[in-house]
Amino acid sequence: MSQLSWMITITDRKKVPDFVALYQQQNIHVSLTTVGAGTAVSETLNYLGLERTEKAVIFTTVTDSRWKAVKRQLEHTMNIDVPGTGIAFTIPVSSIGGKRALQFLTEDQDFQIGEETTLKDTKYELLIVIANQGYSGLIMDAARSENAGGGTVIHAKGTGMERAEQFLGVSLAAEKEMVLIVIKREDKNRIMRAIMDQAGTASKARSVILSLPVTSTAGLRLLEDEEPEAGIEG
């Protein structure tokens, strides 16, 4: 059984084509790239060997065996250990909305479906909805129909989207939106189903959904305040 993870790479924007090419050589076909900027203070940047340059963030899914191979290439080919080159890390994925979406995201990676997640006691989950640009409102309406709170929208450019038709039966535009929604774990299946039904691959949004376990939080008082108080035994 293989663990599926969300791989995040942060590097200089000029180096994005090199990283994407490496990932495609490793049969990691689908990725999303967005821009970013560092917020660290000068002392931290100096310690990490980073400069105040424009950054890019690359998101993709990998199995644990593929991550091991990619990690070696990142170290030996991209010299990611050299200060200033970038960083890459993985976060375990707990579920993906639909078999076809799973096949699309893991094409040419040896993945066997097992239990949803090894982090079963997490209180919250992060939903990541990848959709065609311009449909974040539809996605949030669907999520809120099952009592989800607010979300955050990130604009990104996709690679490997031309392969979507093989797995999803639809063509996906390269310009994408990523909608991030933190939800209670017990609400996950209902919210994911609502998004799939109202804004999934059969809709114009063409949404693909995955969830990540959230191991620690701060600032979620509104969600916590909604929970019923525990009974007090006399």
Side-chain angles (χ1 to χ4, degrees):
M1 185 177 66
S2 179
Q3 172 67 49
L4 191 64
S5 295
W6 187 240
M7 182 174 72
I8 300 174
T9 309
I10 303 173
T11 187
D12 187 285
R13 292 186 197 177
K14 296 178 181 178
K15 297 178 180 177
V16 167
D18 296 332
F19 278 89
V20 171
L22 172 65
Y23 295 157
Q24 291 180 339
Q25 289 171 8
Q26 293 292 321
N27 291 325
I28 301 172
H29 300 296
V30 180
S31 64
L32 293 154
T33 304
T34 187
V35 298
T39 59
V41 296
S42 298
E43 291 81 1
T44 303
L45 291 170
N46 291 336
Y47 177 77
L48 297 174
L50 299 174
E51 300 177 355
R52 290 188 178 276
T53 56
E54 295 180 327
K55 303 297 179 185
V57 186
I58 306 170
F59 303 92
T60 191
T61 49
V62 293
T63 60
D64 50 5
S65 58
R66 192 56 51 91
W67 163 246
K68 291 176 182 176
V70 169
K71 184 174 182 290
R72 287 194 297 268
Q73 291 299 315
L74 287 171
E75 293 169 347
H76 299 153
T77 303
M78 301 300 296
N79 297 315
I80 201 167
D81 289 334
V82 175
T85 302
I87 61 172
F89 56 93
T90 59
I91 302 170
V93 171
S94 58
S95 58
I96 289 180
K99 183 177 180 180
R100 289 183 178 178
L102 174 64
Q103 292 174 332
F104 172 55
L105 293 173
T106 61
E107 182 193 5
D108 292 336
Q109 298 189 56
D110 186 16
F111 178 70
Q112 183 178 358
I113 299 176
E115 295 185 24
E116 271 203 346
T117 177
T118 57
L119 301 175
K120 297 183 178 63
D121 295 328
T122 57
K123 191 174 183 179
Y124 299 101
E125 298 254 344
L126 172 64
L127 286 190
I128 299 179
V129 187
I130 304 166
N132 286 343
Q133 192 168 10
Y135 292 94
S136 57
L138 177 64
I139 292 164
M140 287 308 307
D141 286 345
R144 290 193 182 102
S145 71
E146 291 294 343
N147 299 318
T152 300
V153 180
I154 299 174
H155 297 281
K157 184 176 180 63
T159 60
M161 297 299 131
E162 66 279 357
R163 312 170 83 90
E165 194 164 1
Q166 176 183 353
F167 295 95
L168 306 178
V170 297
S171 297
L172 298 183
E175 297 301 319
K176 314 298 291 181
E177 286 179 340
M178 296 174 59
V179 183
L180 312 182
I181 314 169
V182 177
I183 60 172
K184 295 178 182 177
R185 181 170 56 87
E186 60 266 27
D187 297 335
K188 180 186 70 174
N189 290 340
R190 291 186 293 101
I191 294 172
M192 288 184 72
R193 174 53 59 187
I195 295 173
M196 291 168 64
D197 288 345
Q198 300 177 45
T201 55
S203 72
K204 292 182 178 180
R206 310 292 194 220
S207 299
V208 175
I209 315 167
L210 62 150
S211 66
L212 311 178
V214 174
T215 55
S216 182
T217 64
L220 293 181
R221 177 175 291 183
L222 287 177
L223 282 178
E224 293 170 352
D225 286 347
E226 293 174 358
E227 296 179 359
E229 294 183 1
I232 301 177
E233 297 182 1

